[in-house]
Structures are given as structure tokens and as C-alpha cells.
Amino acid sequence: MKKKQRDLFLVEILGLFLALVWIAPFYLMIVNAFKTKRGIFEGVLGWPEEVTTENFVDAFIELEFLQSLFNSVLITTVSIGIIVLFASMAGYALARNKSKLSNVILLIFVAAMLIPFQSVMIPLVSLFGMAEMLNRAGLIFMYLGFGCSLAIFLYHGAMTGISRSLDEAAIIDGANRFQLFWYVIFPLLKPISVTVGILNVIWIWNDFLLPSLVLGESSATIPLKMFFFFGQYTKQWHLALAGLTIAIIPVIIGYFFAQKQIINGVSEGAVK
Amino acid sequence: MRNRDVSFWLFLTPVILSLSLVVIIPFVYGFIFSFTNWNGLTASKFLGFSNYIKLFQDAEFVNAIWFTIQFSVVTVILLNILGLSLALIVTRKLKSSNFLRTIFFMPNLIGGLILGFIWQFIFISVFDDIGSALGIEALNGWLSTTTTGFWGLVILTTWQMAGYIMIIYIAYLQNIPNELIEAAEIDGANSFQRFRNVTFPLVAPAFTVSMFLTLSTSFKIYDQNLSLTNGGPHNSTQMVAMEIVKTAFSENQMAFAQAKAVIFFILVATIAIAQVYYNKKREVEM
């Protein structure tokens, strides 16, 4: 028994050591963001001799942070809203319709996941450009197109756990299909909606390439703005690091409040 | 709900419309135009396979494919070793177990672009500083050579994704019945034997899942590549995804880039299908 406890203690030490290694990059980013340009030049490992918060103010202004945060929040929430709504409807319809046709439709959605973004990117931008849809609305519609496959797949799987007798009961009570779905089925799908939401938040919030092809600077999301900002201050690490720190703050706050759901959601999405 | 019900189709219309306009039509359109001299707007000439012949003679593209394959193989191996190790650590009854999970998973939530910039600072400034302080020259100029750039990308991706792979392994580790481990313990198996003969075979399916994920993700990496090395020095650390974007939007060779994108699709799809096939075969055996 003694040996077991000692082993456990050693594993714990190893784990904590690895955790230190894991957060070291963030530590180095934050600690250097508080240094002056000169301070970074003198050494990146130590504590700042002269603490400055000016970098953060400058980066905040330069990143037009409130504007880019607003753009990111808007695009992410609307995209996820429509993915959850439309994919759950589709998952429901396909699961309740047992026909060859619905199998084929499901298969097409699943097969579409094989196509890497780069393989559709050029014609997509060209077609949406011709339709003058290279803007936020176009981007949100694209997220529905790229995001719905996995979501439908997950919703379709979850529907097998929801009894058909609920449908019948609601129809007898006089509900139409939309009422039945919205009041009876959709609430029951909540756990899978959370999973779908989390998987898509991580993806859409952080996406860079697609927004860079679709959005202009005035409607830039945080990663896109960060890219422009970084290009401008390549040689000025104090500013660049402050900008990176600011960009990460919303994610860390979100993670702090929802870590359990996030880790569970990812684990469900990954195992299926 | 029947096929001829109006509601069936109404429920499917939004997703069918979006998938068609965003994925299927562009995919077909792109495939057709990869055989022409399309410039993004119009195509005036049918060229047959000449774009495809040209891309295999394009040293930059061939180099990008080769670099991507090497990168993926190394990353997949390291990620699985590290992911399983982290999972084994945090599934022990440690006081810090939840805290460790949170920390290891954190990089996954922050986009690859931002992580790449952070690591650019570490490889350039921090490594230089440590190198000078300790007199280790090998630490200087990390992103300025092909080899160290390669390892830089491997380190970044492994650090970022290990927590994700850890989650997959945890899910499978938790399904192992405790009695099995205890029985092995009673039979006198030491911890290595228990791992080798009980735990490892039972988490093998997790390896299939995570191999699929790591392989397809590392094949498609773009953001990290762009922000860490930007393909340099001399495009030697440029991966396929980035090479295609550059051919299309910096060099404006739309049809040529699209032909590369078709080859890229074939590569990614082959890996995915081979993986599913292998997966299925194993399921039957078990």
C-alpha cells in the first residue's frame, strides 16, 4: 500500500511538471506583454523590471478590439444558431423517414465531410463573389453548409434514442409537424445541441482562412484582425504579445465558465 | 414522415440548399474547371490533363506534398504517444486530475493562427535567449532552417492537439472494467504487465479513432503553417494546404490551383476511406 501511494505521488509530480511545460508559452506571452521594447531586448525569461500596461492600451486600440469582438460574437452565434436549428430539423426528418431516399441524403451529407476546404475554396469564393455575397451574411451561410454535415450526423444518431410514440401522441393531440418538432423533440435533443454548439464554437470562433477570403477589414473577426495586426508589428514583440494576450482573453473566460461542458462535448463528438 | 410529405422537404430545404451551394456545386464546378485555363471568372479553353501534368512537374507542389507526409507521420506518432501518456496520468486518482485535464486541453480552444504567433515568439526570442545564456548554439535561429522549422511545426501541433487526443483516450480508458485490472493485479502482474496485457489491447480502438483524426487534421493544416513559418525559409516548410492557397490567391493561377486541390481531395479522401475500411475490418474481428 505504501508503495502505491508513493507511485501516485510521483505521477502527480510528473503531471504537474508537464502542466508547467504546457502553460509555459502562455506565461512567456503574458510576462513579456508587460515589458517595454527595451525590457524584452534585455531578456525574455525574467520578470519585467519596469512594468508597463501601455502595450495593452495600444494593442486594444490598434486591434479595434471591441469591433472585432463584436464581429466574432455576431458571426459565431448566428452561425451556430442556424446550424443547431436546421441540422436538428434535418436529423429529425431523416431519422423519422425510413426510406432509401433518406438514406441516400444522409450518405451525401456524411460523404461531404471528406471534402477538404481547399478543394471547394476557389470556386466558392468565385461564385459567391459573382452573387455579391462576400460579406458576413454569405460567411454565415457558408458555415451552415460546412457545419451541417457533422451536426446532422450527430442529431440523426441521437434521434434513435427518442421514441416514436411521442410523435404519435403529439399528432393525436392535434400538433402539426413543426409544433411537434419544436415543442416535443427539440427540447429532448438539448444535450446533443450543446455538443454541436461547442464543437462549432471552437471551429468558427478560431477560423481564419474562410473569413480572410470572405470578409473585408471593417467586418474582420478576431483571428483575421490579429493577422493584419501581427503583420504590422512583426518586429515589435511587446505590442504583438499584448495583442495576442487580449485576443485570448475571451476564450479563457469562456473556458473558465464552461470547461466541463466543453470537455464532455468534445469527448462525445470525438468518440462518435 | 413520408417522402411525399411537404414537411419532410421543408425540414431538409435549408441544409440541402446550403450544402449544395457551399460544397457540392463548388466541388463539381472546380473539378470541371481544373481541366481548363479558368482564371476565377471565365474559362476560354479546355486543356485536358495539362494542369495535372504540370503540377507533378511543379517542384514546389511536390515538395509541399512530401513535407506534409513527413510532418503527418511524425505528428501522428508523437501525438498518440503523448495523448495516451497524458490520459494515463490524469485517469489515476490524483488530486490535480481535473486541473491537469483543463490545462492540457486549453491550447485546443485557441486558434492555430494565434498559437502559431505565440510560438513564433518562443522559437525566435526565447530559444535565442536560452541558447545564448547556456551557450547552446543549436537553439539559435530556429525558424530559419528547414529542419528546425519542421520540428517547430511538429512541436506546435503536438502541443496543441495532445489534449484533444488525451480526451479520446480517456473516453476509452474509462470503459475498461475495474475488475479486469484488479484481477490482473491479484494474478501478480506488475503495472507494466497490466498496461501491456490489459489496458493497451482494450484502448486499441481509441488508437483507430485518434489516428483518423490526427492524420486528417495534420494533412489539412494551414493556420499554424502560415503564422509560424509562413512556409519559409524559401518555401521549404510549406504544406499542401498553404501551397494551394498561395497558387490561387497570390499567383492568381486559379485553374492550376484547382487541379492541385483535386489531387489534395484524392489524397485526403483516400486516407479517410482506407482508415474507415481498416476500422471496419477490425471491428468484425473483435
Side-chain angles (χ1 to χ4, degrees), chain B residues 2 196 203:
Chain B
R2 304 214 185 103
R196 170 78 188 76
V203 293

Side-chain angles (χ1 to χ4, degrees), chain A residues 106-272:
Chain A
L106 185 66
L107 190 72
I108 291 173
F109 276 105
V110 174
M113 286 195 270
L114 285 177
I115 301 175
F117 175 69
Q118 271 78 8
S119 302
V120 296
M121 159 186 82
I122 307 166
L124 178 72
V125 171
S126 151
L127 288 169
F128 275 63
M130 285 180 222
E132 308 225 353
M133 280 294 283
L134 293 180
N135 51 33
R136 283 188 287 210
L139 181 65
I140 290 167
F141 185 76
M142 291 178 195
Y143 281 135
L144 176 63
F146 289 120
C148 65
S149 286
L150 177 66
I152 290 172
F153 180 66
L154 291 173
Y155 277 118
H156 186 268
M159 280 306 300
T160 51
I162 296 175
S163 163
R164 260 170 197 277
S165 55
L166 284 172
D167 293 46
E168 284 151 19
I171 298 281
I172 290 168
D173 285 349
N176 63 34
R177 277 283 171 195
F178 290 95
Q179 289 167 327
L180 156 65
F181 173 76
W182 189 246
Y183 293 110
V184 181
I185 306 293
F186 189 71
L188 292 172
L189 289 170
K190 198 179 158 200
I192 210 76
S193 295
V194 172
T195 300
V196 169
I198 283 166
L199 292 175
N200 285 301
V201 165
I202 298 174
W203 160 51
I204 296 174
W205 183 270
N206 292 320
D207 192 26
F208 166 71
L209 180 54
L210 186 55
S212 79
L213 298 174
V214 172
L215 298 178
E217 243 205 287
S218 63
S219 49
T221 57
I222 292 175
L224 186 49
K225 199 76 196 179
M226 196 65 229
F227 178 73
F228 293 134
F229 172 80
F230 203 88
Q232 213 171 338
Y233 296 102
T234 321
K235 294 281 175 280
Q236 305 193 40
W237 280 117
H238 58 299
L239 268 181
L241 292 171
L244 288 166
T245 308
I246 293 173
I248 286 174
I249 289 171
V251 180
I252 301 295
I253 293 175
Y255 192 35
F256 181 77
F257 283 110
Q259 30 174 306
K260 215 175 170 175
Q261 286 91 320
I262 289 172
I263 291 189
N264 287 344
V266 166
S267 139
E268 285 204 10
V271 175
K272 275 163 192 160

